[in-house]
Amino acid sequence: MESGLNFVDLILEASILVQLVMLTLVGMSVASWAIIFQRRSILAQSLADAKKFEQKFWSGMDLGKLYNEITARAGSSSGLEALFVSGFKEFARHKKQNTGSASMIIEGTHRSMRVALSREVEKVESGLSFLATVGSISPYIGLFGTVWGIMNAFIALGEVKQATLQMVAPGIAEALIATAMGLFAAIPAVMAYNRFAKNVEKLESNYINFMEEFANILHRQAASLTEAKQNVSA
């Protein structure tokens, strides 16, 4: 037995405002899925690149040679490479100018790496705020469409003398579709945001740990240079 209610017909016959709500939710859902696939690829690549660079960095390779290898490539560096290039470039500049104590050199180097860290974290976090927004407001947008649709259904019901379920069912059904679409847009966005936020936190922690370890290595080199200068002066 057919119910007489068709999903597509319900959407097409809905009020203009409810249709706008549905269209908005579909747009938000499509945009959030595009961001989900994009962020998933970028975060996975960033984690893999970080692991690959750490293996090369801790292999005992000369830091100057590693720096020249990265800067010789076409395109800008990213991730841990960007932190390394930023820190080593600042360290080499101080070393060339032969100015300041070891602590001053490392302070400048550390500051340069913190700026690079901020840029890299901002890159991987891009789009997450949109997912959070979709996850938080989509159910309310859908609920607004539902309330409006049910209100219209009951207003129409009040204009007839004999009300039946068959008369009010299409209006209520189209209203509930808005709620369903709101949840359909919100649930994947919330799940993706939570997972990506955790990955970004893991990546940022990895970046900070590397930055501190690299700063310690440069500090030892700066201290050795300062000590050598003092011995020559004496």
Side-chain angles (χ1 to χ4, degrees):
M1 182 175 65
E2 296 184 1
S3 62
L5 296 178
N6 184 278
F7 184 81
V8 176
D9 290 339
L10 287 174
I11 295 176
L12 295 177
E13 294 173 6
S15 64
I16 297 298
L17 183 60
V18 175
Q19 286 181 342
L20 287 175
V21 167
M22 293 178 180
L23 184 62
T24 300
L25 291 171
V26 169
M28 293 173 69
S29 180
V30 171
S32 65
W33 275 107
I35 291 174
I36 286 170
F37 286 119
Q38 181 197 45
R39 289 296 100 190
R40 180 183 177 185
S41 175
I42 289 175
L43 285 170
Q45 187 64 45
S46 296
L47 288 168
D49 289 344
K51 185 176 181 181
K52 182 179 178 181
F53 177 78
E54 279 192 314
Q55 289 176 347
K56 182 180 289 187
F57 179 83
W58 295 111
S59 65
M61 184 178 183
D62 181 72
L63 297 183
K65 184 179 179 182
L66 180 58
Y67 173 81
N68 292 332
E69 180 183 312
I70 295 173
T71 53
R73 286 193 227 138
S76 58
S77 56
S78 61
L80 287 184
E81 287 187 351
L83 267 67
F84 170 78
V85 168
S86 177
F88 192 84
K89 183 178 181 180
E90 185 69 14
F91 176 78
R93 186 177 68 84
H94 283 287
K95 181 180 176 181
K96 184 177 181 180
Q97 293 177 352
N98 200 22
T99 58
S101 62
S103 59
M104 290 179 62
I105 294 173
I106 295 305
E107 183 180 351
T109 302
H110 211 272
R111 186 164 53 248
S112 178
M113 286 194 290
R114 281 199 299 269
V115 173
L117 172 67
S118 179
R119 290 198 189 103
E120 294 307 310
V121 172
E122 186 177 351
K123 286 180 186 178
V124 295
E125 283 182 338
S126 176
L128 296 192
S129 59
F130 180 80
L131 292 180
T133 301
V134 171
S136 60
I137 70 173
S138 291
Y140 296 104
I141 295 176
L143 184 59
F144 171 75
T146 297
V147 171
W148 186 268
I150 291 177
M151 182 181 68
N152 286 338
F154 278 105
I155 289 174
L157 190 64
E159 294 176 353
V160 298
K161 294 182 179 179
Q162 186 175 0
T164 62
L165 182 61
Q166 187 176 4
M167 295 175 60
V168 75
I172 295 177
E174 75 182 33
L176 292 176
I177 289 174
T179 296
M181 293 179 72
L183 294 175
F184 180 79
I187 292 173
V190 171
M191 293 177 65
Y193 173 80
N194 290 334
R195 180 171 181 176
F196 293 159
K198 184 178 180 181
N199 288 340
V200 169
E201 184 180 352
K202 178 181 178 181
L203 196 60
E204 184 177 6
S205 177
N206 193 359
Y207 287 174
I208 292 173
N209 289 338
F210 170 80
M211 186 176 70
E212 296 299 329
E213 290 170 340
F214 184 42
N216 288 335
I217 293 174
L218 294 180
H219 186 270
R220 287 194 293 269
Q221 291 190 12
S224 299
L225 291 173
T226 303
E227 184 179 352
K229 285 193 300 181
Q230 290 174 351
N231 292 336
V232 170
S233 300

